[in-house]
Amino acid sequence: MDLGIDGRTALVMGAGGGLGSAIAKALAQEGCRVILADVDLASAQRAAYAIAELGGIAQPVAWDLSDVGSISRQVMLMKQENGPIDILVNNSGGPAPGMTHDITEQQWHRYFDSMVLSLMTLTRLLVPEMQARRWGRVITSTSSGVVTPIPGLAASNALRLALVGWSKSLAQEVAKDGVTVNVVIPGRIATQRIAALDQSRAKAAGLTQEMVAASSTSTIPAGRYGEPAEYANAVAFLASQCASYITGTSLRVDGGLIPAI
């Protein structure tokens, strides 16, 4: 299937990580020019190099989402060098595990800035040009905790859910301008983040990481963790011309994990 996005420019946040790098690769394989933004420039560079080796066009950029005040300047410099952005993939790192009573006011502020306010600000700066061109895609990666809260991940459950409400509101406002806005919800995808969470749960329960992973897998109807490429392919489809009538929705890529309807 031709996704119809050859020649589009995509900005992928958190592109040095497992999900972000897979998304960047999937978009590059469809002919997009991809800007890989990450707080860890070395990780973004490795991901960009891997894309270039496959014949794709990729540019790594150092970007710290926790520095909300720098976003306007970052966007200006990026557009000067790359032109307008057609596809924005909002993907931020998750907070440390913790119960609600363990999270301090300072941590709430820090997490909100890096996970929510930064993505809202970035989108607000890029969407008007999408509207003017009457084509654009905003895709925000969240967590299964926005449907079924995950024990021990209170900050992630609360803050990522805010992105779902915001995305739905934005989708209703810009649909008439040819801009789609969607949320993608990962289940347990085999990334370093999931491995770290399994390790944290194992330590708390006095188990091995392998035992925790086996227990987690038993709750997934598909019987395994997902691959980053499987998640990335879903994102690439939502970014495509084929998905031009899909907006304001949340797509689960979870192997059937989430029990709620």
Side-chain angles (χ1 to χ4, degrees), residues 73-129:
R73 178 178 56 83
Q74 287 268 38
V75 167
M76 180 183 67
L77 294 173
M78 180 186 61
K79 290 196 294 187
Q80 285 177 350
E81 186 171 349
N82 300 283
I85 301 299
D86 300 299
I87 300 164
L88 170 61
V89 179
N90 285 321
N91 174 52
S92 66
M99 308 295 280
T100 55
H101 58 271
D102 293 329
I103 305 170
T104 66
E105 182 179 347
Q106 290 74 22
Q107 287 175 314
W108 278 118
H109 280 292
R110 186 169 73 250
Y111 293 151
F112 179 78
D113 282 354
S114 62
M115 294 174 59
V116 180
L117 184 59
S118 58
L119 300 182
M120 292 178 175
T121 301
L122 175 60
T123 304
R124 178 175 56 80
L125 293 171
L126 295 180
V127 162
E129 288 189 350

Side-chain angles (χ1 to χ4, degrees), residues 131-177:
Q131 292 175 278
R133 297 192 306 277
R134 302 198 63 77
W135 200 98
R137 302 287 185 264
V138 178
I139 303 163
T140 301
S141 181
T142 58
S143 160
S144 62
V146 304
V147 180
T148 304
I150 303 170
L153 292 180
S156 178
N157 295 335
L159 296 176
R160 294 195 194 280
L161 189 55
L163 291 171
V164 177
W166 162 78
S167 294
K168 184 67 172 180
S169 298
L170 179 61
Q172 294 172 332
E173 295 167 1
V174 301
K176 66 183 183 300
D177 302 315

